[in-house]
Amino acid sequence: MEQVVIALLMMINNEIVEHRIQPSLSECLKRKRIAQRSETGTSITHQCIKSKAEIEQNIDGSWSIKKLIME
């Protein structure tokens, strides 16, 4: 299923290595700040984006991003 989501991206050397759905932009920015504080002096960057994504429901009922659709 395709849906517009707010996602927190973790990137290493400008490649997306992890993405998580966030409930709101403010929650995404909060989690981004927490992640940035814990990873000092590394090449890891975090970014919040609003994008279309292909999502799927996990066995526990939560939703995860299967594929980001960057247009």
Side-chain angles (χ1 to χ4, degrees), residues 32-55:
K32 176 184 170 187
R33 285 190 300 272
I34 292 168
Q36 285 176 329
R37 283 188 216 130
S38 66
E39 296 167 355
T40 58
T42 63
S43 62
I44 298 173
T45 59
H46 296 86
Q47 183 177 1
C48 292
I49 64 165
K50 183 176 182 179
S51 176
K52 205 182 275 188
E54 191 174 312
I55 60 173

Side-chain angles (χ1 to χ4, degrees), residues 8 27 35 61:
L8 176 58
E27 187 67 27

Side-chain angles (χ1 to χ4, degrees), residues 5-10 18-37 46-51 65:
V5 297
I6 305 280
L8 176 58
L9 308 179
M10 181 174 78
E18 188 173 338
H19 39 65
R20 303 277 180 185
I21 295 175
Q22 301 298 311
S24 66
L25 182 58
S26 63
E27 187 67 27
C28 185
L29 293 171
K30 176 183 170 184
R31 292 180 183 181
K32 176 184 170 187
R33 285 190 300 272
I34 292 168
Q36 285 176 329
R37 283 188 216 130
H46 296 86
Q47 183 177 1
C48 292
I49 64 165
K50 183 176 182 179
S51 176
I65 297 172

Side-chain angles (χ1 to χ4, degrees), residues 56-64:
E56 63 184 355
Q57 193 167 21
N58 299 323
I59 197 164
D60 65 354
S62 64
W63 292 89
S64 65

